[in-house]
Amino acid sequence: MASQASWWVSKARQLGRRVAARVTPVERAALAEWLTPAQLALFDGMPVADRRHGLDVVAALGPAGVADADLRLAALFHDAGKGRSIRLWHRVAWSLGELLGTWVHRLAARLPGGANAMARLRDHAERSAELARAAGCTPRAAALMRGSVGPDDAPTLAALHAADEAS
C-alpha cells in the first residue's frame, strides 16, 4: 500500500530529525527579536526536538508565516504541551496507534508511565494553547494550536497543518 509506505518513510524521517535535533545560538537569538520574554521562556522549556520542529514548521510556512504573527506563534508552540516527560517510545506508540488503531494507545497506557504519556499526547493541542496563552499569545494563536478556528481561518489552519506534516 503506497500510502502506508509513505507513512513509514515520513515517520523514519521524523525519527532521524528528532535524534539529530539542534537549535543554534543564532536561531535562538533571532527568536528574541520577535518573542516576548515569557514566550521565549516557553520555547526554552520545550525539549530540543520540539523546539527544532517548531522552528522547522515556521520555516515551512514561508512568507505566509512571516506575515501572520499568530500563525508563526502557533507553528512555534503547537507541541509545547507535550512536555519533557514524553519519551521516544511514547511517540512511537502514539504514531503506531494512529496507523493501526487506538488499541495501541490503550496497550501503551498499561506500561509504566504510559497512561500519562498517552493522555498528554492526546491532549497536547489544548495544553499547548493554554501554555501559549499564559505566555501572552493571542486567543487566535491558541485557537490555531487547538485546531478550533472559524471558517475565515480555515485556510490558515490548513497551512499550519501542511507545514507541520512537511516538517
Side-chain angles (χ1 to χ4, degrees):
M1 175 177 197
S3 64
Q4 197 173 49
S6 64
W7 182 89
W8 285 102
V9 169
S10 171
K11 293 303 176 181
R13 182 179 48 100
Q14 285 177 356
L15 176 63
R17 285 183 176 177
R18 178 157 207 81
V19 170
R22 303 287 180 271
V23 175
T24 68
V26 171
E27 290 171 314
R28 169 59 174 71
L31 288 174
E33 295 176 15
W34 59 278
L35 294 179
T36 67
Q39 291 165 348
L40 201 53
L42 176 58
F43 180 80
D44 289 339
M46 294 166 57
V48 69
D50 289 338
R51 284 182 269 156
R52 172 78 267 149
H53 175 64
L55 289 169
D56 292 343
V57 175
V58 170
L61 288 169
V66 173
D68 187 332
D70 289 336
L71 177 57
R72 190 172 41 186
L73 290 168
L76 192 63
F77 295 130
H78 73 280
D79 282 340
K82 290 181 179 176
R84 292 191 173 273
S85 65
I86 302 298
R87 301 290 174 240
L88 182 59
W89 78 264
H90 301 133
R91 292 172 189 267
V92 170
W94 186 263
S95 292
L96 288 172
E98 290 179 320
L99 177 68
L100 303 173
T102 57
W103 66 269
V104 177
H105 300 158
R106 290 190 302 275
L107 180 63
R110 297 175 129 194
L111 299 171
N116 183 51
M118 293 300 107
R120 285 184 75 87
L121 289 167
R122 181 192 64 228
D123 301 333
H124 84 275
E126 180 62 34
R127 177 127 171 83
S128 296
E130 290 170 4
L131 290 168
R133 286 291 292 140
C137 293
T138 67
R140 179 174 176 261
L144 286 166
M145 286 177 231
R146 284 185 187 102
S148 60
V149 297
D152 290 347
D153 260 337
T156 305
L157 182 60
L160 176 60
H161 286 305
D164 186 21
E165 287 301 313
S167 299

